[in-house]
Amino acid sequence: MTHLPSPAARRQLGKSGIEVSALAWGNWRLCGDDVDAVVKLLHAALDAGITLIDTADIYGPDNDEAFGASEALLGRALATDPSLRGKFVIATKGGISMGVPYDSSAGYLTSAIDASLTRLGTDTVELWQIHRPDILTHPSEIAKAIGEAYKAGKIRSFGVSNFTTSQIATLQQFLELPIVSTQPELSPLKLAPIENGELDQAIAMDMAVLAWSPLGGGRIANPSDERTKAVAGLLDEVAEEFGVSRTAAAYSWIMAHPARVIPIVGSQKADRIAEAADALKVRWTRARWYAVLVASKGEPLP
């Protein structure tokens, strides 16, 4: 029985020259005021081999907190131990403006980057991403702001989130920097990036793919319809063989794609962060991988 190649524990972040872990820890639900608890989560991530943190300035309002609250809490946690910052690659996002909703004008992007750096308590972030596309801003204006931030040392690389393939291709035409990453929603239940060319473009342009909601918004853990139950059942078969959880099998399924997808682990529990690293133990055969794809699509392949 032939298995697909095992995902490496480390990989390059596109053309940035920055090495990152095979999984990322996401901070969408990082909230509250318990700095010590966050420090413990940071150490749990390190123990699991996870060194890439994905956050955003908009993370806060969804938790009934202020704009930027999650970044600020992470910054306070990192400040407790000066050695921590150098152990992590921080990726943050901006470009969502409350009540607008999207603003990628040069002035707004510049102010968003500066504000994120202040909240995070750092002079630079390894990856800064536009969170969602602003169709009213010309790509040349974006390129100007991003180029200046890079030259000033505020950002070490640039990526996008929730952009279409054409938006990525168009923006890249105006940038001096390479777009090193893209961040779509991708899971065994959300197949669009596999089918619409996003992952193909990532391979062609050497962009890292950071997958948000890799567990289908919790549906894989708690399936409630026949399609999701079918996918969960197939994941369970693989999970049992390799002695891992269903969630680890789900992460590993998207990681098996040759785009070398990086799942963003959204849990704020140390044991769940540790569990995510088990994804590296799983080996997929083509037959089993395609079986999950067919179950998710709900129809046979051609």
Side-chain angles (χ1 to χ4, degrees), residues 258-274:
R260 296 181 296 165
V261 177
I262 300 171
I264 299 174
V265 180
S267 179
Q268 307 305 306
K269 296 181 179 179
D271 59 337
R272 297 297 299 275
I273 295 172

Side-chain angles (χ1 to χ4, degrees), residues 65-190:
E65 294 186 339
F67 187 90
S70 183
E71 284 184 323
L73 180 58
L74 175 61
R76 290 169 61 197
L78 291 171
T80 63
D81 179 355
S83 70
L84 273 177
R85 175 64 184 92
K87 296 176 181 178
F88 287 99
V89 172
I90 295 180
T92 192
K93 301 181 288 293
I96 296 179
S97 178
M98 298 290 288
V100 175
Y102 312 131
D103 189 346
S104 289
S105 62
Y108 184 80
L109 294 188
T110 298
S111 64
I113 292 170
D114 289 344
S116 285
L117 294 177
T118 298
R119 286 188 292 264
L120 290 166
T122 187
D123 295 327
T124 185
V125 290
E126 285 79 9
L127 174 64
W128 193 84
Q129 308 151 94
I130 294 181
H131 205 150
R132 289 189 178 273
D134 170 18
I135 60 177
L136 297 178
T137 298
H138 194 281
S140 63
E141 188 173 352
I142 296 172
K144 179 177 182 293
I146 296 303
E148 290 178 351
Y150 177 78
K151 291 174 183 176
K154 297 176 182 179
I155 65 173
R156 289 184 57 193
S157 65
F158 171 66
V160 296
S161 175
N162 301 298
F163 274 51
T164 65
T165 55
S166 59
Q167 288 168 335
I168 290 172
T170 301
L171 178 56
Q172 184 62 79
Q173 292 297 311
F174 291 86
L175 286 163
E176 294 182 9
L177 296 174
I179 298 174
V180 304
S181 67
T182 180
Q183 188 174 144
E185 180 183 1
L186 173 62
S187 75
L189 298 176
K190 182 69 172 181

Side-chain angles (χ1 to χ4, degrees), residues 128-298:
W128 193 84
Q129 308 151 94
I130 294 181
H131 205 150
R132 289 189 178 273
D134 170 18
I135 60 177
L136 297 178
T137 298
H138 194 281
S140 63
E141 188 173 352
I142 296 172
K144 179 177 182 293
I146 296 303
E148 290 178 351
Y150 177 78
K151 291 174 183 176
K154 297 176 182 179
I155 65 173
R156 289 184 57 193
S157 65
F158 171 66
V160 296
S161 175
N162 301 298
F163 274 51
T164 65
T165 55
S166 59
Q167 288 168 335
I168 290 172
T170 301
L171 178 56
Q172 184 62 79
Q173 292 297 311
F174 291 86
L175 286 163
E176 294 182 9
L177 296 174
I179 298 174
V180 304
S181 67
T182 180
Q183 188 174 144
E185 180 183 1
L186 173 62
S187 75
L189 298 176
K190 182 69 172 181
L191 305 177
I194 295 174
E195 300 179 324
N196 66 13
E198 287 183 69
L199 298 192
D200 301 318
Q201 182 186 52
I203 292 172
M205 295 178 61
D206 192 13
M207 293 186 296
V209 179
L210 282 68
W212 63 270
S213 198
L215 300 179
R219 290 178 293 153
I220 287 176
N222 298 289
S224 59
D225 58 76
E226 291 308 310
R227 168 181 172 248
T228 308
K229 289 177 181 178
V231 169
L234 292 169
L235 292 172
D236 283 344
E237 291 179 10
V238 175
E240 182 177 0
E241 177 180 346
F242 290 93
V244 303
S245 67
R246 182 191 300 165
T247 56
Y251 293 139
S252 73
W253 187 82
I254 61 174
M255 294 169 73
H257 191 280
R260 296 181 296 165
V261 177
I262 300 171
I264 299 174
V265 180
S267 179
Q268 307 305 306
K269 296 181 179 179
D271 59 337
R272 297 297 299 275
I273 295 172
E275 176 187 280
D278 286 343
L280 294 170
K281 300 176 181 178
V282 180
R283 300 291 304 280
W284 287 88
T285 63
R286 277 182 166 77
R288 277 184 157 175
W289 194 93
Y290 277 117
V292 173
L293 182 72
V294 169
S296 183
K297 289 170 66 67

